[in-house]
Amino acid sequence: GQNIDQPTEMTATEGAIVQINCTYQTSGFNGLFWYQQHAGEAPTFLSYNVLDGLEEKGRFSSFLSRSKGYSYLLLKELQMKDSASYLCAVRAGSFVGYALNFGKGTSLLVTP
Amino acid sequence: DGGITQSPKYLFRKEGQNVTLSCEQNLNHDAMYWYRQDPGQGLRLIYYSQIVNDFQKGDIAEGYSVSREKKESFPLTVTSAQKNPTAFYLCASISGQINQPQHFGDGTRLSIL
């Protein structure tokens, strides 16, 4: 089975940097994904990590350490529109058709 | 434009009634998934299908049924056996490559009358 933990809520100021952590325990690992989800909407893909290290994409970066079962999403130059839920998801093995196992999400509030 | 279409956007179910949620994709993706999301919760896997005419139960399949008669379509039926169906339902798909993210439809919000 898999267990994914991330903080429930975070608050940060517009223009600042915020780091959202995710820890996981899995019996099969085929990559870690970060999604953004605004209230009442579908999740949208942000980043993918399968090897250790940092992946940078504009204002968003994601880091993975497979040995520690740890990832983080870094958001720079925060904007009000970044207020959303951020979901960490681990891709399981082929025995579940490579389905994603999601954490409960971190609700980020960006304040002026 | 390619994508995943879910309908309806909002659905109301009477007690004892079965309802079907539609999911259609024109991305030519092989694998399709149904997730359920409750307030403040992550997405939980209901059913998935890797090829036509084949599907497997996920973590919370009880009270739900699916079919995969065509590659483009993966409808989900919420049966009367599902006693707590109120939730946000999301359909997703991926191509055959495991490094690709899941693409999601816009979701269907189901409520009990």
Side-chain angles (χ1 to χ4, degrees), chain A residues 35 37 42 91 95-97 100, chain B residues 33 37 48 98 100 102 105:
Chain A
Y35 282 83
Q37 185 179 28
R91 173 152 278 156
F95 55 90
V96 282
L100 292 180
Chain B
Y33 309 84
Q37 187 175 34
Y48 66 95
I98 65 171
Q100 295 301 305
Q102 287 187 348

Side-chain angles (χ1 to χ4, degrees), chain A residues 30 33 35 37 39-45 48 50 85 87 91 94-105, chain B residues 9 31 33 35 37 40-43 45 48 50 59 88 90 94 97-107 109:
Chain A
N30 281 293
F33 295 79
Y35 282 83
Q37 185 179 28
E41 298 181 7
T44 55
F45 168 70
Y48 167 71
V50 68
S85 182
L87 306 175
R91 173 152 278 156
S94 58
F95 55 90
V96 282
Y98 301 112
L100 292 180
N101 189 40
F102 286 84
K104 294 185 177 180
Chain B
K9 191 173 179 64
Y33 309 84
Y35 292 92
Q37 187 175 34
Q41 300 294 314
L43 281 65
L45 183 66
Y48 66 95
Q50 292 181 273
D59 300 321
F88 188 44
L90 287 158
I94 60 168
Q97 300 172 30
I98 65 171
N99 64 338
Q100 295 301 305
Q102 287 187 348
H103 296 261
F104 286 90
D106 288 337
R109 190 165 299 279

